[in-house]
Amino acid sequence: MSEIPAEQKKMPYNIREKQNKEAVYRKKINSKLADKLEKGVYKLVVSKRNYRNPDYSAKELAKDLSTNTRYLSAVINDRFGMNFSSLLNRYRVRDALKLLAEKRYSKLNVADISVMVGFANRQSFYAAFYRLVGMTPRVYKMRKLMEAKKESENETE
């Protein structure tokens, strides 16, 4: 039986390879404005944890930063190396990794965790998590629970 070529293999959760696009307008943004927007993005998205709001949009962030979505998008792409959705999902998954590994949240199911970190639905959570971590949230949680169990067994010996 012959192996399926890599370009024809179906990725789980409809994950596609990232295609880099070169947009000329990204390079034309004033560097001082780009610095200001980058700091604003970090402050509002990361420090204030607005990524936990499933309805938080690039349009809302642009309004908060008194700019337009095109400039905002260009700065996020240039300075963070990803688009707005990927940026939010990266921080959401980062939070989920912590929560899934914590013993006090072990009774919560994966769907509950996905809501806590800001995903609007389970499917988008699984897709983003798999893309960034390489395994499903459920598998990750089970591994962390097994590791914690082994550690506690070793401590009692």
Side-chain angles (χ1 to χ4, degrees):
M1 195 169 188
S2 65
E3 193 166 318
I4 300 170
E7 63 272 2
Q8 291 180 358
K9 287 183 181 177
K10 185 170 168 58
M11 295 288 290
Y13 305 106
N14 295 321
I15 296 173
R16 294 179 296 253
E17 289 293 320
K18 182 181 178 187
Q19 294 179 354
N20 290 329
K21 299 177 207 168
E22 200 55 43
V24 178
Y25 70 89
R26 289 182 188 155
K27 306 287 185 224
K28 294 185 178 184
I29 296 176
N30 175 311
S31 64
K32 285 185 180 180
L33 174 60
D35 291 344
K36 179 184 170 192
L37 292 176
E38 179 184 12
K39 287 177 186 171
V41 168
Y42 190 81
K43 179 182 176 189
L44 292 171
V45 172
V46 182
S47 298
K48 290 193 173 188
R49 295 184 177 185
N50 284 341
Y51 60 85
R52 286 190 170 183
N53 176 353
D55 299 321
Y56 199 62
S57 67
K59 188 175 184 177
E60 189 174 343
L61 178 58
K63 183 180 172 195
D64 291 343
L65 295 173
S66 302
T67 190
N68 63 52
T69 55
R70 189 173 192 132
Y71 278 4
L72 178 65
S73 175
V75 168
I76 291 172
N77 277 277
D78 187 50
R79 300 290 175 95
F80 294 91
M82 63 191 80
N83 64 29
F84 178 76
S85 295
S86 296
L87 180 69
L88 294 184
N89 288 345
R90 172 164 288 165
Y91 286 102
R92 289 170 177 162
V93 168
R94 192 175 287 176
D95 273 5
L97 288 168
K98 292 174 191 169
L99 297 177
L100 290 166
E102 284 188 36
K103 189 175 181 178
R104 66 181 171 166
Y105 296 110
S106 63
K107 298 274 191 243
L108 295 178
N109 64 36
V110 173
D112 293 334
I113 300 288
S114 73
V115 169
M116 287 174 67
V117 299
F119 282 95
N121 61 64
R122 187 177 161 274
Q123 180 64 26
S124 60
F125 175 53
Y126 266 74
F129 195 97
Y130 191 89
R131 181 180 294 116
L132 293 168
V133 181
M135 66 181 82
T136 66
R138 187 175 187 285
V139 169
Y140 179 83
K141 180 180 179 179
M142 293 302 151
R143 284 187 182 177
K144 288 298 180 182
L145 290 173
M146 292 299 285
E147 287 172 15
K149 185 177 178 183
K150 285 180 184 176
E151 284 178 20
S152 68
E153 287 173 355
N154 290 338
E155 289 174 3
T156 57
E157 289 178 358

